Amino acid sequence: MRALNTILLVAMAWLLLSTQASLAASPIVLHLQNPDGGAIRGLIIGIDAYEHVRPLKGSVADARDIEQSLRQMGTNDVITLTDAQANRSSVLQHISDLVQRTTSNDLIILSIAGHGAQEPETIKGSEPDGLQDVFLLPGFAPTPEGSRQRILGSEFNHFIRQFELRGAKVLFVADTCHGGGMARDIDPRAAEMSFRQVSKYTLPVDKLVPVTNESDPVSDLDLDRTAFLAAVDRNTKAPEVKIPGIDGLRGALSYAVARAFEGGADANHDGKVTLKELFANVRQVVYQLSDQRQNVVTKASPGRSVESDVVFQLAQGPTLAATPGPTVPPKPMIPAPPAALSRDLAVAPAPTEISAPIRLAALGSRTNNLAKLTSRNAAIEIVPPVDNPDLIWDSKSRDVISWGDVVAYGIDERDLVSVIDRTAAIRELKRIATKTPQTLRVAPDDGQYHKGRTVQIELSDVTSRAIILFDISGDGTIQMLYPLGSDAPISQTGNLRLQLKVREPFGAEQVVAVTSTKRLPDLEQAILQLDRRKAPGQLIKILNTYLSPDARVGSIGFFTAP
């Protein structure tokens, strides 16, 4: 068992360098293609502006993102309804119109982002717990008239059946939630988080008249040609999250699906995205972006093969010539002898581009000097605790909280810059790991780990792939985890499980996995030279320099406490 030093992370945010080769290459323009030969059609819904329940912040942006991805990938039949446009009569009319346009072998993409809820089932026996999922529309309220502004899960099953009867396949994306649990408790000092779920309610008078007929499926398991992606399971809340490089909050599932449409889910680069590839890609991207607060639920109709059923293809379109721009190639790293791992690396500093600032808030009275904080690696903006900060510093306890989790304990004001730099670096790691993710999980659960507890890091789908695994501790110290000593650098099995033991100091950890078809000795050596050193900025530049084109990167955080 390997000891994992859980100490405070200091990070330097380096913008990823583009190499001469990538600039010289002409990008290939891809477009989506239906493998069955039919059209691809979409109805996309996003609702933030609820009139009578708590509004959301990222659902409209989610809808626009998916719409834009579909259109830029060549799909023209896309209808997007946002906020007030998504009232019940409008949604039903557009679904009806879409059914009429649908022909045999079409692929129908239905996506909804907004609030969800649970109510007693209307079709007896359709749900094991007797509760059905409900999707709330902008005018919903627990009043007689407000009750009309919702769509029942059984109604969506009815609509999906209509598409299937016309010979189409359906991909249904539900970026909402219906339960009330969480993977980890939220620190009460954290800024209020936004979840896509409303409090329980009762309907004294329900004026909704469901759309139904006798041939409707009892449950989604009775559908024949449909695949489902849901943000969380029926017992968990779906948070709106921060996406690296994007302002505001978003739904992690919608973001992941949009990137999948753009080619991110084609794991083996054969131009075909199977259900297995789509599910695995979206599941890992959401898991990473949500800091392990979300586990996506994926389902397919019993008649569809997850292993081999192709959801969509990526067909090559016209090639656009790249316009070379000015570039500063990085100087090669000079490898240090193995016995001198603590010596400095001769690495040319990467040009630093500061984008969105790190938003810092403080609790308590000892905050007068925060405005004087400066960093060479990240812009700093001081904001109130209620103004969506990236970090909150409790000056009394000296804890630093980020998005509901304590990321560092016992941090003095003079050490805050280190935590700020860490936050900037984690942004870059998430950005890298979203492009071609390696499946990476924390076990036994995604909760908070205490001193002495064993954490298991699990990699899957790594047969015949070279593996590098390392940790960035709370203070930015790099720790090589694999391969070490007699470890086999290339996996002979499909899975790798590595046990780590938690010890103080406590806070946030970021475990990163890199896998590739061939061993990357230069990358291994470079990381070993950083072992036990506080150098996350150099690490990010090293990854950009030595990652192979076929590399997959997984990056997950977990949290420890006394």
Side-chain angles (χ1 to χ4, degrees), residues 422-445:
R422 168 199 186 271
T423 304
I426 296 304
R427 279 183 181 175
E428 296 302 324
L429 277 171
K430 285 186 175 182
R431 204 190 305 263
I432 296 171
T434 297
K435 295 177 181 177
T436 309
Q438 166 61 49
T439 302
L440 180 65
R441 293 274 157 164
V442 175
D445 55 50

Side-chain angles (χ1 to χ4, degrees), residues 3 17 24 39 51 159 161 167 172 178 221 270 276 280 345 360 370 433 439 460 495 501 508 524 547 558:
L17 286 174
E51 300 171 18
F159 303 140
R161 173 64 87 197
F172 185 69
H178 308 279
L221 294 177
D270 66 350
K276 180 180 179 180
L345 296 176
L360 174 66
L370 291 186
T439 302
S460 58
N495 302 297
K501 193 167 185 177
E524 285 183 34
L547 281 178
F558 66 92

Side-chain angles (χ1 to χ4, degrees), residues 207-431:
K207 288 194 173 184
L208 178 69
V209 179
V211 178
T212 183
N213 62 42
E214 293 181 357
S215 64
D216 284 349
V218 175
S219 73
D220 50 31
L221 294 177
D222 297 311
L223 295 167
D224 301 319
R225 299 164 60 85
T226 299
F228 297 89
L229 289 163
V232 287
D233 61 35
R234 289 167 54 81
N235 301 310
T236 308
K237 290 183 178 181
E240 295 191 296
V241 304
K242 297 180 180 180
I243 306 293
I246 295 178
D247 292 335
L249 299 179
R250 292 287 304 277
L253 175 60
S254 295
Y255 180 84
V257 168
R259 306 291 79 75
F261 287 149
E262 294 169 357
D266 186 12
N268 60 2
H269 306 292
D270 66 350
K272 300 176 182 179
V273 176
T274 63
L275 282 172
K276 180 180 179 180
E277 287 178 308
L278 176 64
F279 288 173
N281 176 272
V282 169
R283 193 181 296 120
Q284 183 64 28
V285 170
V286 171
Y287 187 66
Q288 293 174 166
L289 291 175
S290 67
D291 287 329
Q292 294 67 64
R293 290 189 182 276
Q294 277 182 260
N295 283 285
V296 169
V297 175
T298 58
K299 291 190 293 185
S301 297
R304 299 188 68 172
S305 169
V306 173
E307 292 287 335
S308 60
D309 197 335
V310 177
V311 188
F312 54 84
Q313 295 175 334
L314 300 166
Q316 186 172 329
T319 301
L320 301 178
T323 303
T327 181
V328 180
K331 295 181 181 179
M333 176 175 295
I334 301 175
L341 299 181
S342 62
R343 66 181 289 183
D344 291 336
L345 296 176
V347 182
T352 301
E353 180 178 315
I354 297 176
S355 53
I358 301 299
R359 296 164 62 83
L360 174 66
L363 303 174
S365 57
R366 295 188 296 135
T367 60
N368 295 333
N369 295 323
L370 291 186
K372 299 178 182 179
L373 292 175
T374 59
S375 167
R376 292 186 302 171
N377 305 305
I380 303 171
E381 181 181 357
I382 307 301
V383 299
V386 296
D387 193 12
N388 196 27
D390 297 297
L391 298 170
I392 295 178
W393 179 55
D394 186 334
S395 64
K396 183 177 181 180
S397 67
R398 297 180 298 144
D399 296 341
V400 182
I401 303 101
S402 176
W403 212 234
D405 293 296
V406 177
V407 296
Y409 294 85
I411 299 299
D412 292 323
E413 188 174 301
R414 64 178 180 274
D415 298 322
L416 276 173
V417 171
S418 297
V419 186
I420 292 167
D421 288 346
R422 168 199 186 271
T423 304
I426 296 304
R427 279 183 181 175
E428 296 302 324
L429 277 171
K430 285 186 175 182
R431 204 190 305 263

